[in-house]
Amino acid sequence: QVQLVESGGGSVQPGGSLRLSCGIAISEHDDLSLYCLAWFRQAPGKEREWVAFISRDGDTRYRDAVKGRFTISRDNAKKTLSLQMNNLQPEDTANYYCGAVRAWGSCSAASVIDDWGQGTQVFVSS
């Protein structure tokens, strides 16, 4: 089990950029390198949806809507997960959540995520 805290959200104009960070607290008896880490988002009135994940092997995947604009990265030593978001559009407006699961492979389904952060809000508008 890990504890996750997101930061970096805010309000930007279309075409702008934000960098989200997720600080991760983990037991000294555990190993963050064994976790798949992901970003999800939830817009008002909509279901939570997967944005990107980075596997324990460093493999990255993105939903089609953010490919080429968002970049996910992790630093196991610093215990952080990041999401660089460029060319933001109004449809990217949502609460963004980081999630973690101690598992091989993909973690693109919310149902497999064991631990969630509290979320950080991103608002894109002119």
Side-chain angles (χ1 to χ4, degrees):
Q1 185 178 9
V2 298
Q3 289 76 48
L4 309 167
V5 179
E6 301 93 337
S7 61
S11 181
V12 297
Q13 294 185 337
S17 298
L18 285 172
R19 185 176 180 85
L20 305 184
S21 294
C22 178
I24 304 168
I26 186 170
S27 165
E28 62 181 12
H29 304 295
D30 204 348
D31 186 349
L32 187 59
S33 69
L34 300 179
Y35 283 75
C36 183
L37 304 174
W39 287 97
F40 288 73
R41 66 187 181 187
Q42 187 167 16
K46 294 188 176 182
E47 296 286 323
R48 187 170 298 191
E49 66 181 18
W50 163 68
V51 175
F53 76 81
I54 182 165
S55 73
R56 57 196 283 176
D57 294 328
D59 186 29
T60 59
R61 293 287 187 270
Y62 302 88
R63 69 180 302 110
D64 287 346
V66 307
K67 282 181 182 177
R69 300 189 297 124
F70 290 12
T71 302
I72 189 171
S73 60
R74 65 190 291 168
D75 187 326
N76 292 334
K78 294 183 178 179
K79 298 182 176 55
T80 58
L81 173 71
S82 298
L83 186 69
Q84 177 66 43
M85 305 187 296
N86 297 328
N87 191 21
L88 283 160
Q89 300 300 316
E91 53 266 34
D92 296 316
T93 294
N95 281 330
Y96 283 71
Y97 300 86
C98 56
V101 58
R102 197 174 191 270
W104 286 103
S106 155
C107 52
S108 59
S111 59
V112 307
I113 299 296
D114 286 334
D115 300 297
W116 294 98
Q118 84 290 347
T120 185
Q121 188 169 21
V122 172
F123 186 73
V124 186
S125 175
S126 56

